């Protein structure tokens, strides 16, 4: 253990400020589920899915087991599989690419923009072939990708758009919620996401009633009617306990996101150190700051320095998709995606969670402003 200079540690993330404030609501919801004796596919699932679709301003939300399955079931519902190619950014959590692989299709990677961290729309068209069936933009770290440009490319090439919205619950682009631009939006309710369950959970959102039915069937043994199986489906459902907790939490999401924006705006305005590059927010975007990502040539040194001061950080992500061992068969090599590689080498995520105190934020900012690299 390093010395914390007598100061209290600032964790990278803490869920207790939000849970403490709504503990009674959560306890009550869980008690209701236990008493109802309905643990899969009951009233809470319906209530949550309706509330989530309404919140996003879309027509259908289908609860699924996790975020990876939300993407996989969207791909399958779109009929994407063997022999097809799907375009996605080279710097994302591995799930985006794995969903494509599990569907039987091939991930085709595109370099991100350095300072927004999102897929570079200008590089998408070069990667489109006659096998391309879909684009999967990721709203990374909570900032929407450039959806008007992406939707325009997709419509010109007749491609399906599946938005990986696992990090961007409530984020907006041009006043419209992330996840509702494309044919499908895939959400994760992993506990640490902006809207998180007390375990695994996910949802697919869509405006297409047929697609909604197909996703629901695919995640329920391929069946819409009990014991009648129209697809080779799997088992991926949002359970009642999580749906009940998520229903209660959804009512607080905007308040929690506003708090993240308060923290991000202090970071953006007050971190002033030439060795540190702050993220850029694109025009017309209202990010929800799942992660506040900076870049520095002295990442490892800065990480250790902050830890000395009791400030915990994280790397998202230390290895880009094209250099992951599981994807060596795709044939990519170092140098193929320079921006993704630079991000993996220089990116550092600062503490960011609902309920960070002004003092804690100030301590992070002060530490960053006092950082001097000797390298
Ligand atoms: C968390 C995450 C996922 C996967 O969600 P799980 O619920 O963990 O399966 C997918 N994509 C991105 C970008 C994520 O951050």
């Amino acid at each position: 253990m390093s010395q914390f200079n007598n100061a209290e540690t600032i964790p990278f993330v803490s869920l207790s400020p939000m849970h403490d404030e709504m503990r009674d609501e959560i306890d009550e919801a869980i008690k209701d589920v236990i008493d109802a004796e309905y643990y899969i596919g009951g009233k809470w699932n319906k209530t949550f899915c309706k509330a989530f679709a309404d919140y996003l301003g879309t027509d259908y939300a289908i609860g699924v087991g996790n975020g990876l399955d939300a993407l996989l079931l969207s791909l399958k519902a779109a009929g994407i599989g063997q022999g097809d190619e799907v375009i996605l950014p080279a710097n994302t959590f591995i799930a985006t690419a794995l969903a494509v692989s599990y569907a039987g299709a091939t991930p085709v990677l595109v370099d991100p923009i350095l300072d927004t961290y999102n897929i570079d729309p200008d590089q998408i068209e070069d990667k489109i072939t006659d096998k391309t069936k879909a684009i999967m933009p990721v709203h990374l770290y909570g900032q929407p990708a450039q959806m008007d440009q992406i939707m325009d490319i997709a419509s010109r090439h007749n491609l399906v758009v599946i938005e990986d919205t696992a990090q961007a619950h409530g984020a907006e682009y041009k006043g419209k919620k992330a996840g509702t631009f494309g044919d499908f939006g895939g959400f994760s309710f992993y506990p640490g996401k902006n809207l998180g369950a007390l375990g695994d959970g996910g949802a697919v959102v869509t405006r297409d009633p047929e697609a909604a039915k197909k996703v629901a069937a695919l995640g329920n043994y391929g069946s819409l009617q009990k014991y009648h199986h129209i697809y080779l489906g799997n088992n991926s459902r949002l359970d009642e306990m999580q749906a009940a907790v998520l229903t209660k939490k959804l009512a607080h999401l905007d308040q929690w996101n506003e708090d993240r924006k308060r923290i991000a705006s202090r970071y953006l305005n007050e971190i002033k150190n030439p060795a540190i590059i702050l993220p850029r927010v694109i025009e017309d975007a209202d990010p929800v700051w799942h992660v506040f990502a900076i870049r520095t040539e002295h990442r490892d040194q800065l990480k250790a320095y902050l830890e000395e001061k009791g400030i915990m950080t994280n790397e998202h992500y230390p290895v880009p998709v094209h250099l992951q061992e599981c994807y060596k068969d795709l044939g990519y090599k170092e140098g193929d995606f320079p921006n993704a590689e630079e991000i993996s080498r220089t990116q550092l995520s600062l503490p960011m969670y609902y309920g960070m105190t002004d003092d804690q934020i100030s301590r992070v900012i002060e530490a960053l402003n006092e950082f001097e690299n000797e390298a």
Side-chain angles (χ1 to χ4, degrees):
M1 274 303 266
S2 44
Q3 292 297 312
F4 289 144
N5 301 331
N6 270 339
E8 165 211 355
T9 300
I10 302 173
F12 174 66
V13 67
S14 170
L15 305 181
S16 59
M18 63 174 120
H19 290 158
D20 289 351
E21 273 182 29
M22 58 172 308
R23 186 56 185 263
D24 292 349
E25 278 183 87
I26 292 178
D27 286 345
E28 211 175 292
I30 291 175
K31 182 177 182 306
D32 184 89
V33 172
I34 296 171
D35 292 344
E37 289 194 46
Y38 229 107
Y39 307 117
I40 299 282
K43 70 171 187 198
W44 284 107
N45 202 303
K46 282 196 192 69
T47 303
F48 173 68
C49 288
K50 168 95 177 61
F52 194 54
D54 287 349
Y55 172 80
L56 296 172
T58 189
D59 293 335
Y60 303 96
I62 305 97
V64 299
N66 54 64
L68 171 62
D69 282 352
L71 302 173
L72 172 63
L73 297 179
S74 299
L75 287 158
K76 287 193 160 178
I80 292 164
Q82 207 85 47
D84 298 334
E85 294 178 354
V86 177
I87 290 175
L88 57 110
N91 65 319
T92 178
F93 180 58
I94 197 72
T96 322
L98 284 179
V100 174
S101 303
Y102 282 152
T106 304
V108 172
L109 306 178
V110 169
D111 217 16
I113 298 169
L114 260 187
D115 57 1
T116 70
Y117 304 103
N118 273 328
I119 192 166
D120 183 352
D122 292 337
Q123 296 191 45
I124 290 177
E125 276 187 292
D126 284 351
K127 300 295 176 81
I128 296 176
T129 71
D130 52 8
K131 293 180 178 168
T132 309
K133 289 285 153 48
I135 308 176
M136 285 177 80
V138 180
H139 306 296
L140 199 70
Y141 308 150
Q143 164 151 238
Q146 278 147 276
M147 288 312 295
D148 49 1
Q149 220 178 324
I150 292 168
M151 292 309 295
D152 178 58
I153 295 167
S155 80
R156 277 190 284 109
H157 296 269
N158 201 19
L159 303 176
V160 171
V161 173
I162 299 168
E163 300 171 65
D164 183 339
T165 321
Q167 302 191 357
H169 317 68
E172 289 185 5
Y173 181 67
K174 298 196 168 166
K176 191 168 157 176
K177 292 273 195 300
T180 67
F181 289 82
D183 300 275
F184 298 91
F187 287 83
S188 163
F189 305 122
Y190 181 81
K193 308 284 169 151
N194 290 38
L195 178 62
L198 300 178
D200 277 316
V204 173
V205 302
T206 180
R207 290 184 206 283
D208 176 348
E210 289 311 309
K213 258 196 217 165
K214 194 165 178 190
V215 168
L218 284 168
N220 189 31
Y221 298 109
S223 139
L224 285 168
Q225 187 191 348
K226 207 168 186 182
Y227 306 130
H228 294 260
H229 304 275
I230 42 185
Y231 310 112
L232 298 175
N234 67 358
N235 174 2
S236 184
R237 304 176 291 216
L238 182 65
D239 68 65
E240 281 291 283
M241 197 82 88
Q242 303 308 343
V245 169
L246 286 166
T247 303
K248 298 298 177 182
K249 283 191 162 191
L250 179 61
H252 300 266
L253 178 60
D254 280 342
Q255 178 205 345
W256 295 337
N257 280 342
E258 282 309 312
D259 202 49
R260 289 174 180 270
K261 292 176 199 177
R262 168 186 71 97
I263 300 162
S265 120
R266 285 204 56 197
Y267 284 163
L268 286 169
N269 289 314
E270 297 175 45
I271 297 171
K272 292 183 195 316
N273 184 332
I276 292 167
I277 304 166
L278 297 170
R280 177 169 64 92
V281 175
I282 59 167
E283 213 178 309
D284 300 318
D286 188 11
V288 291
W289 303 103
H290 176 60
V291 159
F292 192 94
I294 61 167
R295 280 183 298 133
T296 172
E297 285 299 319
H298 316 282
R299 194 253 313 272
D300 296 348
Q301 201 188 338
L302 178 61
K303 186 176 173 57
Y305 160 91
L306 290 171
E307 198 168 323
E308 271 303 300
K309 293 184 174 293
I311 297 166
M312 299 302 144
T313 58
N314 243 315
E315 293 163 30
H316 297 100
Y317 299 90
V319 182
V321 175
H322 67 291
L323 300 179
Q324 292 287 354
E325 186 159 348
C326 64
Y327 278 128
K328 56 178 188 284
D329 290 351
L330 290 180
Y332 291 116
K333 58 183 188 314
E334 214 168 315
D336 282 347
F337 301 101
N339 287 353
E341 289 167 29
E342 180 162 340
I343 290 166
S344 70
R345 186 175 59 79
T346 58
Q347 187 275 356
L348 193 67
S349 306
L350 303 183
M352 168 60 77
Y353 53 88
Y354 170 74
M356 260 186 99
T357 65
D358 283 328
D359 271 1
Q360 289 176 315
I361 303 164
S362 298
R363 265 182 63 205
V364 175
I365 292 165
E366 237 164 75
L368 287 165
N369 288 344
E370 284 167 7
F371 172 68
E372 285 178 57
N373 59 286
E374 295 98 49

